[in-house]
């Protein structure tokens, strides 16, 4: 009974549509496929998704997001961008533990 919960992969267009709608709070994990630290972060996020499957968490390969990378001024990966309604986006670059990430992302599930 190992049910796989995964983040939906978004294209630049899909991601821009969600951001522009601003109807929901959500977060997006920005990564590159060959980044070892990104793989560790993705594993931590998968654990969080298992605990909180309704969490609005997406992922996107930064290599395919030139416009977003410029506009959001993403300086490195892994990066988690958090969008809460009525707040500026928050970019997180340090992923120390599952617990720390869980605490930062949990408020998104209740909105």
């Amino acid at each position: 009974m190992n049910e796989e919960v995964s983040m939906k992969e978004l294209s630049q267009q899909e991601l821009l549509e969600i951001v522009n709608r601003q109807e929901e709070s959500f977060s997006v994990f920005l990564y590159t496929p060959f980044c070892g630290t990104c793989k560790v972060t993705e594993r931590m996020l998968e654990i969080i998704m298992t605990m909180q499957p309704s969490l609005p968490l997406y992922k996107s390969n930064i290599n395919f997001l030139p416009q977003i990378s410029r506009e959001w001024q993403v300086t490195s990966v892994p990066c988690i961008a958090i969008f809460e309604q009525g707040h500026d986006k928050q970019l997180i670059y340090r992923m120390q533990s599952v617990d720390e990430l869980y605490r930062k992302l949990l408020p998104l599930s209740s909105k």
Side-chain angles (χ1 to χ4, degrees):
M1 186 181 151
N2 188 4
E3 201 172 312
E4 186 66 30
V5 179
S6 62
M7 295 171 274
K8 181 180 181 201
E9 180 97 25
L10 297 179
S11 68
Q12 179 165 270
Q13 188 60 40
E14 291 170 317
L15 189 49
L16 286 171
E17 286 171 15
I18 291 174
V19 170
N20 291 334
R21 274 201 314 259
Q22 293 181 341
E23 293 171 359
E24 60 182 90
S25 297
F26 72 96
S27 60
V28 60
F29 166 56
L30 304 172
Y31 71 96
T32 59
F34 299 110
C35 161
T37 313
C38 296
K39 292 193 186 321
V40 171
T41 300
E42 185 167 16
R43 183 66 195 122
M44 290 195 287
L45 292 171
E46 286 168 357
I47 292 167
I48 291 168
M49 290 295 292
T50 302
M51 295 187 297
Q52 201 70 33
S54 64
L55 200 63
L57 177 59
Y58 305 103
K59 68 179 182 176
S60 288
N61 182 339
I62 196 81
N63 292 327
F64 300 115
L65 307 176
Q67 179 184 346
I68 287 174
S69 180
R70 271 192 317 276
E71 287 178 7
W72 296 0
Q73 299 177 356
V74 176
T75 57
S76 68
V77 290
C79 175
I80 298 174
I82 298 176
F83 292 84
E84 286 188 78
Q85 281 187 299
H87 300 297
D88 287 334
K89 76 179 164 303
Q90 175 186 5
L91 299 179
I92 301 171
Y93 295 101
R94 271 185 45 209
M95 296 16 137
Q96 288 188 293
S97 67
V98 171
D99 186 50
E100 180 190 359
L101 277 178
Y102 183 71
R103 282 195 307 267
K104 288 181 179 175
L105 295 172
L106 190 59
L108 300 177
S109 67
S110 60
K111 296 188 173 162

